[in-house]
Amino acid sequence: MVPVSTHTAAPTEGIPSAPGAFIQDRLAGWVSDLTTLHELTERLAGTSTLDSALHELLVAGAALVGAARGLLVLEPADGRGPSRTIGLGLSHAELGHIETVPRSATAYGRFLDGLPDTGAPVASPDILGDPGLDPRCREVAARLGYAASYAQPLATGAAGPAGTAGTTGPEGTARATGRLGAAVWLYDEPAEPLERQCHLVGVYARYAAEHLARLLELERARADVAAVAEELLPSRLPRIPGVRLAARRRAGPGTGGDWYDALPLPDDALGLAIGSVGGSGPAALAAMGRLRAGLRAYAVMEGEDPVAVLSDLELLLRMTEPSAAATALYAYCEPDRRTIVLAGAGHTPPLVTGERRTEFVETTLSAPLGMLSCWEAPSVEFTPRPGETVLFYTDGLLRRTGDTRDRAFARLHAAAAGVPKVLRQDPGAVADHVLRTVLPADGTGRSGATEDVAVLAARFD
């Protein structure tokens, strides 16, 4: 217990009282600002794609400076792209109007062009009343209904003199530095953010630029891998009398090893193949390229025997990729007789669809390539009817639905059965309808699955 004195001390003369209320207000303001920055940076750090990060940055900046609208221009100074312009509270047409203003007349345009003395934020508190601005700036502002703006450059801190240098992180990977873009927030009335707001959005923008630089390099790497994957697939499908072909591929973020192939064989025969290599990234792409090249060679030598083709492919996989596993399906087709002989190695069964039937082809149960010391499974033969389309697809189509295996197969069956009659003449239209129906609108399943999807459609006359 602390005893309380009953005597009151006399006030000390000449010593001012401590400004307690002022200090408490300042401390409370700092704590509030730090809390706000922490929440906004946490939300930004949770974004995993470049588009989502750009949108989050634009929304958070608008909240910090007290604006309702704005736009963000991503234009890396190294010229490698990607370049994008997104808006907040602005339609595409309104963004187009803003882009009609000469770049040299806008603060963000001067920064993106790397002009001197353009590395700091720029406030335009009264656009309509500023005679020093370009007349087109005032004209567009009056048309779109904004009266002030605040432009914040987006740049990483390790730029060279020209703003285009690059740094190498501890992992040894080059990361883009320098000018990345600029954000502009618009006010409906003449206004200017407070000094405190400018400081907060500046701190947030520096953190956001580093995050954007990481996502930018990741997107570039994904684009490079996707370009390599496209080069490994057929540039065009063969034209064989009696059959029409179409192929579709939906690459996931990791760009896995899903592939397809179609090659003409002697006597107007046709070899169709589809498969998937486990994993993702460059290793999966390399394995995919080797398997596809090997299958083409084996199909030319012994294409009439799908079992022999897949047996040779199994040996190739064990010799070149001893730790990898893959699924594959190869079909030998004679379009003039409308016969298909196929064998599969752990792959999903084809689906034949037409006006009178939609059913899965019964294939023999077999293990994926690389799972057994010696692979072999009997082949099956079936005859599609005139006007029917046979769909070969990879397992990613089922996994992206987010459903259980049985429900995913049922969903695929219903999508194929529901193809409108007017579309059944075109195998590409059939494949597009199935993909639109089976896959959710965002391309991912309810479980967040983002595997590659490959579909090969063959319509027999």
Side-chain angles (χ1 to χ4, degrees):
M1 298 293 293
V2 178
V4 178
S5 175
T6 59
H7 300 282
T8 303
T12 304
E13 297 293 338
I15 300 178
S17 60
F22 173 76
I23 293 177
Q24 288 180 0
D25 290 343
R26 291 295 299 270
L27 288 176
W30 290 340
V31 170
S32 176
D33 292 343
L34 290 174
T35 302
T36 301
L37 279 178
H38 175 73
E39 293 176 353
L40 294 178
T41 53
E42 284 291 313
R43 288 174 52 181
L44 182 65
T47 58
S48 57
T49 63
L50 190 59
D51 289 335
S52 61
L54 293 174
H55 179 74
E56 178 63 32
L57 190 161
L58 191 56
V59 172
L64 289 174
V65 301
R69 294 185 290 173
L71 70 151
L72 190 152
V73 181
L74 178 69
E75 191 175 300
D78 58 10
R80 295 173 53 199
S83 298
R84 294 171 190 169
T85 300
I86 64 172
L88 174 66
L90 297 171
S91 64
H92 289 291
E94 290 173 330
L95 287 175
H97 284 304
I98 294 176
E99 290 177 345
T100 61
V101 178
R103 284 171 64 101
S104 60
T106 62
Y108 72 90
R110 291 172 57 83
F111 173 77
L112 294 175
D113 291 338
L115 298 180
D117 301 327
T118 57
V122 177
S124 299
D126 188 4
I127 296 178
L128 300 180
D130 188 352
L133 293 178
D134 187 282
R136 183 60 182 167
C137 291
R138 298 197 298 272
E139 178 184 346
V140 171
R143 182 169 185 174
L144 300 185
Y146 63 87
S149 67
Y150 183 77
Q152 172 68 50
L154 300 174
T156 54
T164 59
T167 61
T168 302
E171 298 83 1
T173 57
R175 183 162 54 85
T177 59
R179 299 189 309 273
L180 296 179
V184 183
W185 293 281
L186 308 174
Y187 299 88
D188 296 337
E189 301 292 337
E192 185 176 0
L194 303 175
E195 181 180 356
R196 167 179 154 271
Q197 292 175 312
C198 295
H199 175 70
L200 289 177
V201 76
V203 173
Y204 179 78
R206 286 194 294 272
Y207 174 83
E210 297 292 337
H211 185 64
L212 288 178
R214 290 189 290 269
L215 293 179
L216 183 64
E217 288 303 313
L218 181 60
E219 179 157 319
R220 287 173 174 176
R222 288 173 176 170
D224 292 341
V225 173
V228 173
E230 291 298 326
E231 291 297 326
L232 291 175
L233 295 175
S235 58
R236 64 175 62 184
L237 298 175
R239 295 184 178 181
I240 303 295
V243 63
R244 283 185 287 169
L245 303 174
R248 299 290 186 268
R249 188 173 185 271
R250 299 288 186 268
T255 309
D258 287 18
W259 58 277
Y260 62 88
D261 204 353
L263 63 157
L265 299 175
D267 300 327
D268 288 334
L270 177 67
L272 299 177
I274 194 167
S276 178
V277 178
S280 62
L285 290 180
M288 178 187 80
R290 282 190 284 268
L291 284 183
R292 177 173 172 261
L295 185 138
R296 292 179 71 91
Y298 302 144
V300 171
M301 294 186 295
E302 45 196 11
E304 297 182 9
D305 187 357
V307 173
V309 172
L310 292 186
S311 297
D312 293 339
L313 201 63
E314 158 77 15
L315 179 60
L316 175 66
L317 183 67
R318 284 195 283 118
M319 293 179 62
T320 59
E321 305 288 340
S323 60
T327 66
L329 186 146
Y330 174 72
Y332 177 79
C333 309
E334 295 181 287
D336 55 344
R337 298 174 51 198
R338 288 199 313 278
T339 59
I340 298 178
V341 181
L342 64 87
H347 204 79
T348 50
L351 178 64
V352 57
T353 179
E355 295 184 7
R356 297 186 178 181
R357 66 169 177 170
T358 297
E359 60 188 29
F360 292 98
V361 178
E362 294 186 5
T363 57
T364 57
L365 184 63
S366 60
L369 301 175
M371 298 295 292
L372 300 177
S373 58
C374 182
W375 178 90
E376 185 172 351
S379 61
V380 296
E381 180 178 345
F382 72 100
T383 302
R385 298 167 185 169
E388 289 186 336
T389 299
V390 181
L391 289 175
F392 303 90
Y393 53 94
T394 57
D395 195 57
L397 180 61
L398 304 177
R399 288 196 295 268
R400 277 208 194 187
T401 63
D403 292 326
T404 62
R405 194 78 169 177
D406 292 341
R407 291 175 62 103
F409 274 117
R411 189 170 179 173
L412 174 59
H413 184 279
V419 176
K421 183 177 180 180
V422 68
L423 300 179
R424 291 190 176 274
Q425 305 297 321
D426 183 5
V430 173
D432 290 334
H433 176 85
V434 169
L435 288 173
R436 285 195 306 268
T437 307
V438 173
L439 299 182
D442 61 353
T444 62
R446 282 173 283 178
S447 63
T450 55
E451 289 89 348
D452 282 4
V453 175
V455 176
L456 180 62
R459 184 188 184 278
F460 291 83
D461 297 333

PDB file of all heavy atoms in Angstrom, residues 272-289:
ATOM      1  N   LEU A 272      -2.159 -39.942 -81.976  1.00  0.00           N
ATOM      2  CA  LEU A 272      -2.575 -38.922 -81.016  1.00  0.00           C
ATOM      3  C   LEU A 272      -2.009 -39.284 -79.645  1.00  0.00           C
ATOM      4  O   LEU A 272      -2.093 -40.436 -79.218  1.00  0.00           O
ATOM      5  CB  LEU A 272      -4.101 -38.831 -80.937  1.00  0.00           C
ATOM      6  CG  LEU A 272      -4.827 -38.455 -82.231  1.00  0.00           C
ATOM      7  CD1 LEU A 272      -6.327 -38.474 -82.013  1.00  0.00           C
ATOM      8  CD2 LEU A 272      -4.378 -37.081 -82.722  1.00  0.00           C
ATOM      9  N   ALA A 273      -1.457 -38.314 -78.969  1.00  0.00           N
ATOM     10  CA  ALA A 273      -0.846 -38.562 -77.660  1.00  0.00           C
ATOM     11  C   ALA A 273      -1.124 -37.399 -76.738  1.00  0.00           C
ATOM     12  O   ALA A 273      -1.247 -36.245 -77.175  1.00  0.00           O
ATOM     13  CB  ALA A 273       0.656 -38.777 -77.801  1.00  0.00           C
ATOM     14  N   ILE A 274      -1.214 -37.719 -75.468  1.00  0.00           N
ATOM     15  CA  ILE A 274      -1.387 -36.698 -74.433  1.00  0.00           C
ATOM     16  C   ILE A 274      -0.787 -37.243 -73.146  1.00  0.00           C
ATOM     17  O   ILE A 274      -0.774 -38.467 -72.928  1.00  0.00           O
ATOM     18  CB  ILE A 274      -2.879 -36.338 -74.251  1.00  0.00           C
ATOM     19  CG1 ILE A 274      -3.018 -35.040 -73.433  1.00  0.00           C
ATOM     20  CG2 ILE A 274      -3.661 -37.479 -73.610  1.00  0.00           C
ATOM     21  CD1 ILE A 274      -4.408 -34.445 -73.480  1.00  0.00           C
ATOM     22  N   GLY A 275      -0.226 -36.353 -72.332  1.00  0.00           N
ATOM     23  CA  GLY A 275       0.400 -36.831 -71.111  1.00  0.00           C
ATOM     24  C   GLY A 275       0.702 -35.699 -70.155  1.00  0.00           C
ATOM     25  O   GLY A 275       0.476 -34.514 -70.443  1.00  0.00           O
ATOM     26  N   SER A 276       1.223 -36.069 -69.012  1.00  0.00           N
ATOM     27  CA  SER A 276       1.541 -35.104 -67.968  1.00  0.00           C
ATOM     28  C   SER A 276       2.738 -35.594 -67.181  1.00  0.00           C
ATOM     29  O   SER A 276       2.809 -36.769 -66.820  1.00  0.00           O
ATOM     30  CB  SER A 276       0.344 -34.912 -67.031  1.00  0.00           C
ATOM     31  OG  SER A 276       0.663 -34.023 -65.985  1.00  0.00           O
ATOM     32  N   VAL A 277       3.692 -34.695 -66.934  1.00  0.00           N
ATOM     33  CA  VAL A 277       4.875 -34.986 -66.136  1.00  0.00           C
ATOM     34  C   VAL A 277       4.691 -34.371 -64.762  1.00  0.00           C
ATOM     35  O   VAL A 277       4.238 -33.226 -64.643  1.00  0.00           O
ATOM     36  CB  VAL A 277       6.150 -34.441 -66.803  1.00  0.00           C
ATOM     37  CG1 VAL A 277       7.372 -34.711 -65.939  1.00  0.00           C
ATOM     38  CG2 VAL A 277       6.324 -35.058 -68.179  1.00  0.00           C
ATOM     39  N   GLY A 278       5.016 -35.128 -63.723  1.00  0.00           N
ATOM     40  CA  GLY A 278       4.870 -34.613 -62.374  1.00  0.00           C
ATOM     41  C   GLY A 278       5.790 -33.443 -62.107  1.00  0.00           C
ATOM     42  O   GLY A 278       6.889 -33.347 -62.645  1.00  0.00           O
ATOM     43  N   GLY A 279       5.344 -32.506 -61.249  1.00  0.00           N
ATOM     44  CA  GLY A 279       6.144 -31.344 -60.904  1.00  0.00           C
ATOM     45  C   GLY A 279       5.822 -30.156 -61.785  1.00  0.00           C
ATOM     46  O   GLY A 279       4.883 -30.167 -62.584  1.00  0.00           O
ATOM     47  N   SER A 280       6.628 -29.118 -61.638  1.00  0.00           N
ATOM     48  CA  SER A 280       6.442 -27.896 -62.416  1.00  0.00           C
ATOM     49  C   SER A 280       7.782 -27.202 -62.579  1.00  0.00           C
ATOM     50  O   SER A 280       8.771 -27.572 -61.938  1.00  0.00           O
ATOM     51  CB  SER A 280       5.446 -26.952 -61.719  1.00  0.00           C
ATOM     52  OG  SER A 280       5.937 -26.562 -60.449  1.00  0.00           O
ATOM     53  N   GLY A 281       7.793 -26.193 -63.440  1.00  0.00           N
ATOM     54  CA  GLY A 281       9.016 -25.439 -63.650  1.00  0.00           C
ATOM     55  C   GLY A 281       9.899 -26.008 -64.730  1.00  0.00           C
ATOM     56  O   GLY A 281       9.494 -26.894 -65.510  1.00  0.00           O
ATOM     57  N   PRO A 282      11.137 -25.541 -64.832  1.00  0.00           N
ATOM     58  CA  PRO A 282      12.044 -25.966 -65.910  1.00  0.00           C
ATOM     59  C   PRO A 282      12.300 -27.462 -65.943  1.00  0.00           C
ATOM     60  O   PRO A 282      12.425 -28.050 -67.021  1.00  0.00           O
ATOM     61  CB  PRO A 282      13.333 -25.189 -65.601  1.00  0.00           C
ATOM     62  CG  PRO A 282      12.886 -23.998 -64.819  1.00  0.00           C
ATOM     63  CD  PRO A 282      11.724 -24.464 -64.006  1.00  0.00           C
ATOM     64  N   ALA A 283      12.391 -28.111 -64.773  1.00  0.00           N
ATOM     65  CA  ALA A 283      12.650 -29.553 -64.766  1.00  0.00           C
ATOM     66  C   ALA A 283      11.511 -30.316 -65.421  1.00  0.00           C
ATOM     67  O   ALA A 283      11.735 -31.243 -66.218  1.00  0.00           O
ATOM     68  CB  ALA A 283      12.865 -30.037 -63.334  1.00  0.00           C
ATOM     69  N   ALA A 284      10.268 -29.937 -65.103  1.00  0.00           N
ATOM     70  CA  ALA A 284       9.122 -30.601 -65.717  1.00  0.00           C
ATOM     71  C   ALA A 284       9.063 -30.328 -67.217  1.00  0.00           C
ATOM     72  O   ALA A 284       8.714 -31.216 -68.008  1.00  0.00           O
ATOM     73  CB  ALA A 284       7.830 -30.143 -65.041  1.00  0.00           C
ATOM     74  N   LEU A 285       9.419 -29.114 -67.628  1.00  0.00           N
ATOM     75  CA  LEU A 285       9.417 -28.802 -69.056  1.00  0.00           C
ATOM     76  C   LEU A 285      10.468 -29.616 -69.806  1.00  0.00           C
ATOM     77  O   LEU A 285      10.226 -30.082 -70.918  1.00  0.00           O
ATOM     78  CB  LEU A 285       9.669 -27.312 -69.264  1.00  0.00           C
ATOM     79  CG  LEU A 285       8.545 -26.361 -68.851  1.00  0.00           C
ATOM     80  CD1 LEU A 285       8.947 -24.925 -69.123  1.00  0.00           C
ATOM     81  CD2 LEU A 285       7.262 -26.692 -69.587  1.00  0.00           C
ATOM     82  N   ALA A 286      11.644 -29.779 -69.202  1.00  0.00           N
ATOM     83  CA  ALA A 286      12.690 -30.566 -69.860  1.00  0.00           C
ATOM     84  C   ALA A 286      12.250 -32.016 -70.009  1.00  0.00           C
ATOM     85  O   ALA A 286      12.436 -32.630 -71.076  1.00  0.00           O
ATOM     86  CB  ALA A 286      13.985 -30.478 -69.052  1.00  0.00           C
ATOM     87  N   ALA A 287      11.660 -32.578 -68.951  1.00  0.00           N
ATOM     88  CA  ALA A 287      11.167 -33.958 -69.044  1.00  0.00           C
ATOM     89  C   ALA A 287      10.056 -34.075 -70.070  1.00  0.00           C
ATOM     90  O   ALA A 287       9.984 -35.048 -70.831  1.00  0.00           O
ATOM     91  CB  ALA A 287      10.688 -34.424 -67.674  1.00  0.00           C
ATOM     92  N   MET A 288       9.182 -33.084 -70.127  1.00  0.00           N
ATOM     93  CA  MET A 288       8.107 -33.091 -71.110  1.00  0.00           C
ATOM     94  C   MET A 288       8.658 -33.093 -72.533  1.00  0.00           C
ATOM     95  O   MET A 288       8.188 -33.840 -73.403  1.00  0.00           O
ATOM     96  CB  MET A 288       7.214 -31.868 -70.904  1.00  0.00           C
ATOM     97  CG  MET A 288       6.073 -31.739 -71.906  1.00  0.00           C
ATOM     98  SD  MET A 288       5.184 -30.179 -71.744  1.00  0.00           S
ATOM     99  CE  MET A 288       6.277 -29.079 -72.616  1.00  0.00           C
ATOM    100  N   GLY A 289       9.651 -32.247 -72.790  1.00  0.00           N
ATOM    101  CA  GLY A 289      10.239 -32.205 -74.134  1.00  0.00           C
ATOM    102  C   GLY A 289      10.879 -33.520 -74.525  1.00  0.00           C
ATOM    103  O   GLY A 289      10.739 -33.964 -75.675  1.00  0.00           O
TER     104      GLY A 289
END
